[in-house]
Amino acid sequence: MKIGELAKQSGLSAHTLRFYEKQGLISPSTRSESNYRIYNQNDLSTAKFIKRSRDMGFSLEEVEVFLSIRADKPAHICADAKDIAQQKIVDVGQKIKEMQQVLVALHKLSDACCGGSESAEFCSIIEALDDRPLTDHTSHQDKQVGTKEDVA
Amino acid sequence: MKIGELAKQSGLSAHTLRFYEKQGLISPSTRSESNYRIYNQNDLSTAKFIKRSRDMGFSLEEVEVFLSIRADKPAHICADAKDIAQQKIVDVGQKIKEMQQVLVALHKLSDACCGGSESAEFCSIIEALDDRPLTDHTSHQDKQVGTKEDVA
DNA sequence: CTTGACCTTAGACTATACTCTAAGGTCTAG
DNA sequence: CTAGACCTTAGAGTATAGTCTAAGGTCAAG
Ligand SMILES: [Zn+2]
Ligand SMILES: [Zn+2]
Ligand SMILES: [Zn+2]
Ligand SMILES: [Zn+2]
């Protein structure tokens, strides 16, 4: 099959397949007389393998290692594959933790702000980002300044 | 103060400060005779504001909006700031969910593999990424092939 | 024989946020 | 005066993973 067909069947774009070829991940088993890339079922398996690996969060570099294991299984041991998976688990877990902390901070930041159409003069978000301690102004009642009517 | 001093006090590098200047986020209040950037306490506040915003996960583009709110608070309303924070919360929450799903998939992938020094011939990680259903081989006992001695 | 779909290549561009380099000018302490 | 620290600029490089373009060749159908 030609690249367009492989793209359709693998879920990768033709562009991406050529890009992967440049990166050394996959290459067509043959070329047609007119130099078109011709892929076979084996190539399709490989393309799907790459796609599945990417979907699992592995980088192209890691996929490369998986491919080399897959290409010659007896030459590798389970630890080769599992080490990568374990490391990815650690990395993803770490990132999740970081993002959860960010999320908590964001909630604190956001919850203190009324979010209404009042002037941002006392907006706790801006104040908190500025330097000052987080002051709750979910209501602006207590800090009327008179420069603006209460719009809300 | 010169850029090096601002860098020290703000926690941003001089390089980054110049980069932010190019992006229109912060600029020195004056220049010395020799064209050095000269910053004042106000600039320091701004630099710290940017750093805090970045640490909260906001993009430079979002920081720019916060800065414009901060620069003229009466011209803005709380919703302007809160909308950004809320959107960020949604985005971060979404990413966390995605990563958690990836994490679950990774665990499934990894847990089925023995991770030992056995040949990867039956490695469930490779098999699962390949196409085949996830086969547990935490023990290789049941699939002796005889091509290799049991190394473990 | 032409139209349109599909293919080829090298290389530029996207996004995000820096990070660093080269080549040179300025300033301060000893 | 000189070494070394610090500053200036424009522009290139880093990382990741594509995504797209230009300019052209190939192929099947009508
Ligand atoms: Zn408010
Ligand atoms: Zn507010
Ligand atoms: Zn195993
Ligand atoms: Zn295994």
Side-chain angles (χ1 to χ4, degrees):
Chain A
M1 74 188 89
K2 284 178 290 185
I3 198 167
E5 186 60 23
L6 181 65
K8 234 175 262 172
Q9 291 196 36
S10 68
L12 297 165
S13 77
H15 273 306
T16 297
L17 284 165
R18 289 196 201 93
F19 171 70
Y20 285 172
E21 184 175 339
K22 225 187 297 182
Q23 307 304 304
L25 296 184
I26 186 175
S27 48
S29 38
T30 52
R31 290 275 185 151
S32 74
E33 291 172 29
S34 50
N35 201 33
Y36 286 10
R37 290 170 178 82
I38 303 297
Y39 300 91
N40 59 24
Q41 286 304 309
N42 223 22
D43 298 326
L44 176 58
S45 290
T46 302
K48 285 181 175 174
F49 181 94
I50 296 172
K51 173 135 180 46
R52 258 179 238 108
S53 302
R54 292 288 298 123
D55 289 346
M56 299 282 296
F58 294 106
S59 69
L60 293 186
E61 200 174 354
E62 288 158 343
V63 173
E64 218 178 323
V65 178
F66 281 140
L67 281 171
S68 71
I69 296 174
R70 177 175 175 267
D72 189 358
K73 293 181 192 172
H76 294 86
I77 58 176
C78 274
D80 295 340
K82 186 153 182 171
D83 285 355
I84 295 174
Q86 286 288 298
Q87 188 55 55
K88 182 60 57 180
I89 286 173
V90 170
D91 292 350
V92 172
Q94 180 59 38
K95 263 179 206 155
I96 288 176
K97 258 184 213 163
E98 284 171 15
M99 299 194 80
Q100 278 170 339
Q101 283 169 5
V102 165
L103 198 58
V104 168
L106 282 171
H107 270 296
K108 271 188 205 160
L109 193 71
S110 179
D111 288 354
C113 171
C114 76
S117 46
E118 330 245 355
S119 156
E121 196 155 356
F122 300 104
C123 181
S124 62
I125 292 178
I126 302 300
E127 284 181 3
L129 289 174
D130 220 324
D131 209 0
R132 289 178 274 292
L134 199 57
T135 55
D136 192 300
H137 80 302
T138 43
S139 160
H140 285 236
Q141 297 302 309
D142 46 341
K143 32 185 95 157
Q144 292 304 327
V145 159
T147 54
K148 280 210 166 189
E149 313 281 359
D150 212 14
V151 190
Chain B
M1 74 187 92
K2 283 178 292 184
I3 198 168
E5 184 61 23
L6 182 65
K8 236 175 260 172
Q9 291 196 36
S10 68
L12 298 164
S13 77
H15 273 306
T16 298
L17 284 165
R18 290 195 200 93
F19 171 72
Y20 285 172
E21 185 175 338
K22 225 185 295 180
Q23 307 303 303
L25 296 184
I26 186 174
S27 48
S29 38
T30 53
R31 289 276 184 150
S32 74
E33 292 173 26
S34 50
N35 201 33
Y36 285 12
R37 291 170 176 82
I38 303 297
Y39 300 92
N40 59 25
Q41 286 303 309
N42 223 22
D43 299 325
L44 175 58
S45 291
T46 303
K48 285 181 175 174
F49 182 95
I50 296 171
K51 174 136 180 43
R52 258 179 238 108
S53 302
R54 291 289 296 124
D55 289 346
M56 300 281 296
F58 294 106
S59 70
L60 293 186
E61 200 174 353
E62 289 158 343
V63 173
E64 218 177 324
V65 179
F66 281 140
L67 281 171
S68 71
I69 296 174
R70 176 176 176 266
D72 189 358
K73 294 179 191 172
H76 294 86
I77 58 176
C78 273
D80 296 338
K82 186 151 182 172
D83 285 356
I84 295 174
Q86 286 288 298
Q87 189 53 56
K88 181 61 58 178
I89 286 173
V90 170
D91 291 350
V92 172
Q94 180 58 38
K95 264 180 207 155
I96 289 176
K97 257 184 213 162
E98 283 171 16
M99 299 193 80
Q100 278 170 340
Q101 284 169 3
V102 165
L103 197 58
V104 168
L106 283 171
H107 270 297
K108 270 187 205 160
L109 193 71
S110 179
D111 288 354
C113 171
C114 76
S117 45
E118 331 245 355
S119 157
E121 196 155 357
F122 299 104
C123 182
S124 62
I125 292 177
I126 302 300
E127 283 181 4
L129 289 174
D130 219 324
D131 209 359
R132 289 178 274 292
L134 199 57
T135 55
D136 192 301
H137 81 304
T138 43
S139 159
H140 286 235
Q141 298 301 311
D142 46 340
K143 30 186 95 156
Q144 290 303 328
V145 159
T147 55
K148 280 210 166 189
E149 313 282 1
D150 212 15
V151 189

